[in-house]
Amino acid sequence: MHDSIVDGPGLRTVIFFAGCPHACPGCHNPESWSQANGRGYSVDELITIIDDYPMNNITFSGGEPMIQAKDILPLATSLKLSGKTIWCYTGYTYEWLVDYGSREQRDLLKLVDVLVDGPFIERLKDSTLLFRGSSNQRLLTLENGEIGKVNRYAFT
Ligand code: SF4
């Protein structure tokens, strides 16, 4: 989806990755839980689609992008080399990914500018929050995979 203004700042091209193990009650996108509801794209196909909107930055959403980290890494590497910023939504917490995630998931964190982490929790739903659905979810500015000293989005 191109030109989103609700999945991070500015105009963003959002890639929705099919498949999610979290099954959060109240999920806004339950059709994304099954990978069978998606279709496969090569990195080159995605780059071609992204290049149709050259001013847009990129958001990985889902579903759960982190379960496809190994396949996303070449795309994320290419996007960073072309100067794009990457936001990534995940139902895992940052700490879980660092402590228990795969090498590919930790490598993907190094390419992500902002991680929106944690599952959607219905009782913490807050429609006034920017870019996220429940107040447990955080907008974490990452620097080479580590939480940056300055969280540019702490005020949102
Ligand atoms: S992590 Fe996101 S896509 Fe997955 S079940 Fe929770 S709200 Fe839905």
Side-chain angles (χ1 to χ4, degrees):
M1 178 177 74
H2 294 293
D3 286 350
S4 170
I5 58 169
V6 297
D7 298 288
L11 294 174
R12 312 192 75 83
T13 293
V14 185
I15 303 171
F16 295 93
F17 292 91
C20 183
H22 303 295
C24 307
C27 170
H28 65 296
N29 197 12
E31 58 276 13
S32 71
W33 293 3
S34 170
Q35 282 196 314
N37 289 334
R39 58 149 287 195
Y41 291 86
S42 69
V43 171
D44 287 344
E45 284 177 307
L46 288 172
I47 294 289
T48 299
I49 293 168
I50 288 166
D51 282 349
D52 284 342
Y53 288 73
M55 301 304 291
N56 287 13
N57 284 298
I58 307 301
T59 296
F60 298 151
S61 188
E64 174 53 80
M66 282 293 170
I67 63 172
Q68 300 189 52
K70 183 177 179 184
D71 295 322
I72 294 173
L73 275 172
L75 173 65
T77 300
S78 176
L79 292 172
K80 292 301 290 183
L81 286 173
S82 67
K84 303 288 189 191
T85 64
I86 298 175
W87 278 48
C88 181
Y89 285 78
T90 178
Y92 299 105
T93 63
Y94 170 81
E95 289 80 4
W96 189 95
L97 290 166
V98 169
D99 289 345
Y100 304 111
S102 66
R103 182 172 54 82
E104 290 84 4
Q105 288 170 335
R106 292 194 300 276
D107 285 346
L108 183 55
L109 289 177
K110 293 176 183 171
L111 298 169
V112 167
D113 295 279
V114 173
L115 188 76
V116 187
D117 83 333
F120 172 71
I121 298 179
E122 203 161 21
R123 67 184 161 76
L124 299 179
K125 180 179 179 179
D126 183 346
S127 57
T128 68
L129 295 169
L130 269 179
F131 308 134
R132 61 207 195 278
S134 57
S135 58
N136 63 298
Q137 295 171 314
R138 301 174 296 179
L139 307 180
L140 298 173
T141 303
L142 301 186
E143 294 171 5
N144 197 30
E146 300 193 355
I147 296 176
K149 290 187 175 63
V150 178
N151 188 344
R152 283 176 278 143
Y153 301 96
F155 57 91
T156 55

